[in-house]
Amino acid sequence: MEGNNTYGASWADQWDYSNPDPIPNAADTKKNGGTSAKYKQKVGEGLGKTKAVASTGIKKVKEGTTLGFHWIKDKYHKTTQKNKQSSNY
């Protein structure tokens, strides 16, 4: 059966851990370190912007909710005052 393997490496070869991936040497880390630092900085800036936008959105929702409740409260008081006046007659 092993002789008829048309898929290339056998199952055992695919899971062979005797030759692990090489450890990156110091020269490779220095090259990628600058790039990775740039990406971390960009992601950090993006998160800062997202936080600011979310904060502004929350403030707007809070203001809108407050205005809505005040509007409902005013409407309720107007209708209850009308009912009190009409019941006095």
Side-chain angles (χ1 to χ4, degrees), residues 23-42:
I23 299 172
N25 50 10
D28 291 340
T29 8
K30 288 181 183 176
K31 290 178 187 175
N32 293 335
T35 306
S36 128
K38 288 179 187 176
Y39 286 122
K40 285 181 183 179
Q41 182 182 4
K42 286 184 179 182

Side-chain angles (χ1 to χ4, degrees), residues 46-89:
L47 290 177
K49 290 177 185 177
T50 303
K51 186 177 178 181
V53 169
S55 176
T56 303
I58 295 282
K59 288 177 184 176
K60 287 181 179 181
V61 168
K62 185 178 175 183
E63 291 172 7
T65 304
T66 302
L67 290 173
F69 278 120
H70 284 294
W71 181 81
I72 292 170
K73 184 179 170 183
D74 291 342
K75 290 290 182 185
Y76 174 76
H77 285 295
K78 287 179 182 178
T79 57
T80 55
Q81 287 174 356
K82 286 181 183 177
N83 290 337
K84 287 181 182 178
Q85 290 175 356
S86 61
S87 64
N88 289 337
Y89 294 111

Side-chain angles (χ1 to χ4, degrees), residues 2 5 8-17:
E2 284 186 38
N5 188 356
S10 70
W11 182 88
D13 291 336
Q14 293 177 17
W15 295 98
D16 184 17
Y17 291 112

